[in-house]
Amino acid sequence: MYKSIIIGTGPAGLTAAIYLARANLKPLVIEGPQPGGQLTTTTDVENFPGFPEGIMGPELMDNMRKQAERFGAEFRMGWVNSVDMSSRPFKLQVEGIGELVSETLVISTGATAKYLGIPGEQDNVGRGVSTCATCDGFFFRGKEIIVIGGGDSALEEAGFLTRFASKVTLVHRRDELRGSKIMQDRVRANEKVEWALNRTPIEVLTNEMGVTGLKVRNNATGEEEVIPASGVFVAIGHHPNTGFLGGQIDTDENGYIIVKPGTSETNVPGVFACGDVQDTRYRQAITAAGSGCMAAIDCEKFIESLEHEAAAAAAAK
């Protein structure tokens, strides 16, 4: 029986682990197949406070893990197949471990960026291919960039990247964009943005120095074209990692966990959510870490209330 189990080891989960461990609650942290989360695929992290020269993503996550371990957090590798939240304590079925039981849960399983699945894409994530303009736009100052997508996220990233790039080409496989009209109008008015609509991405092109461009197919003519660029930003959305919850927690239409405003509380008492699994807007390491702190404090207060109730019940006897 654990007082608290944290599922996920990105900035949110590791921050929650640090706080809960310092509260002497000895949390168990379950690491999935990508310990450290998406940040482990990022090379230079320059926008996390406290590192004026920047820090490598894997190094930052490793430091946070060691900090949590120092205060008594336990880490185990496993894949959570299902969680029974019908009653407390909660029961988790974890592949590679078996059944685990806990009074509280902190869900920090994140959201996975969607990729195209074309050659040259995965091999160059962090080396010219990115899914986060806010994180990586600075590295492409004065260079030509491609943004792939047709929704509001793609339009927003294209507009943001014009602050750094000499030119941003927006590639979309249809001849019409899905984004809102106000976003389309805003980006179309930007002189740095060029358009490559009705084109299907085929391959990310590279050389020994990094990304050199994107090969696309013109859907109208069938001909292949090459769009030169030093960076390719894939902006076709994210999907939250909530499938294992089996619909036991309230989520929005896209599967993101809904929390009570200003807290990390879900609709299930004793279950808390933090990081990108409940964040549809910011998706930054620092905001994830902040929400992990919130989840730990909310969780600690919940455990205290259980202990007070148990003490009162015992006194009444």
Side-chain angles (χ1 to χ4, degrees):
M1 167 74 77
Y2 289 91
K3 288 187 178 295
S4 183
I5 289 179
I6 300 167
I7 308 174
T9 53
L14 291 175
T15 301
I18 291 168
Y19 272 78
L20 287 172
R22 290 188 76 250
N24 202 32
L25 293 174
K26 297 181 174 58
L28 170 65
V29 185
I30 300 178
E31 296 182 295
Q34 189 181 19
Q38 293 188 68
L39 218 60
T40 57
T41 66
T42 303
T43 50
D44 294 313
V45 179
E46 294 190 329
N47 55 6
F48 199 93
F51 300 94
E53 303 301 322
I55 185 172
M56 300 290 282
E59 182 183 2
L60 177 60
M61 292 296 91
D62 187 53
N63 286 345
M64 293 176 72
R65 188 186 197 278
K66 289 176 180 176
Q67 190 173 359
E69 287 180 312
R70 174 192 165 201
F71 293 115
E74 177 186 352
F75 286 79
R76 297 183 71 178
M77 181 72 73
W79 181 265
V80 180
N81 288 319
S82 64
V83 181
D84 182 358
M85 299 181 189
S86 58
S87 62
R88 204 173 53 249
F90 306 116
K91 297 180 177 63
L92 291 74
Q93 300 300 325
V94 187
E95 186 175 327
I97 298 177
E99 183 176 271
L100 297 173
V101 181
S102 180
E103 293 181 4
T104 61
L105 292 177
V106 175
I107 301 171
S108 57
T109 46
T112 303
K114 297 178 182 178
Y115 287 95
L116 297 162
I118 60 177
E121 182 184 41
Q122 285 295 319
D123 295 343
N124 292 284
V125 172
R127 300 177 58 250
V129 174
S130 174
T131 58
C132 180
T134 308
C135 310
D136 299 327
F138 180 82
F139 300 114
F140 297 92
R141 187 176 295 276
K143 299 179 179 180
E144 295 185 2
I145 297 175
I146 290 170
V147 174
I148 301 174
D152 278 350
S153 294
L155 291 167
E156 185 175 349
E157 296 219 340
F160 176 82
L161 289 167
T162 59
R163 302 180 189 182
F164 310 102
S166 59
K167 180 175 74 173
V168 176
T169 302
L170 196 143
V171 176
H172 185 46
R173 58 194 174 91
R174 297 192 176 104
D175 55 6
E176 293 184 358
L177 299 170
R178 293 181 292 105
S180 59
K181 187 177 186 304
I182 187 170
M183 286 296 298
Q184 291 190 44
D185 291 344
R186 187 178 301 166
V187 176
R188 288 186 185 281
N190 194 316
E191 295 180 351
K192 281 190 174 182
V193 177
E194 295 191 1
W195 305 86
L197 302 181
N198 203 24
R199 286 165 172 80
T200 300
I202 299 173
E203 180 181 0
V204 176
L205 304 176
T206 62
N207 61 19
E208 63 278 3
M209 300 298 291
V211 170
T212 61
L214 179 70
K215 183 185 290 186
V216 300
R217 178 183 299 109
N218 187 313
N219 296 330
T221 66
E223 296 180 356
E224 294 183 357
E225 309 168 3
V226 173
I227 305 173
S230 298
V232 174
F233 285 78
V234 183
I236 57 176
H238 293 71
H239 58 84
N241 302 316
T242 53
F244 70 98
L245 298 173
Q248 299 174 87
I249 286 183
D250 288 346
T251 62
D252 67 12
E253 64 275 10
N254 295 313
Y256 286 88
I257 295 175
I258 298 172
V259 295
K260 180 181 176 181
T263 77
S264 64
E265 299 171 8
T266 70
N267 65 300
V268 179
V271 179
F272 308 89
C274 54
D276 288 7
V277 76
Q278 52 84 55
D279 179 8
T280 62
R281 181 173 182 179
Y282 299 104
R283 291 196 285 262
Q284 299 298 301
I286 189 62
T287 53
S291 69
C293 167
M294 294 169 60
I297 293 174
D298 290 341
C299 183
E300 180 186 356
K301 297 301 182 186
F302 183 84
I303 292 171
E304 286 180 358
S305 70
L306 294 180
E307 292 173 346
H308 289 320
E309 289 174 7
K317 293 180 180 179

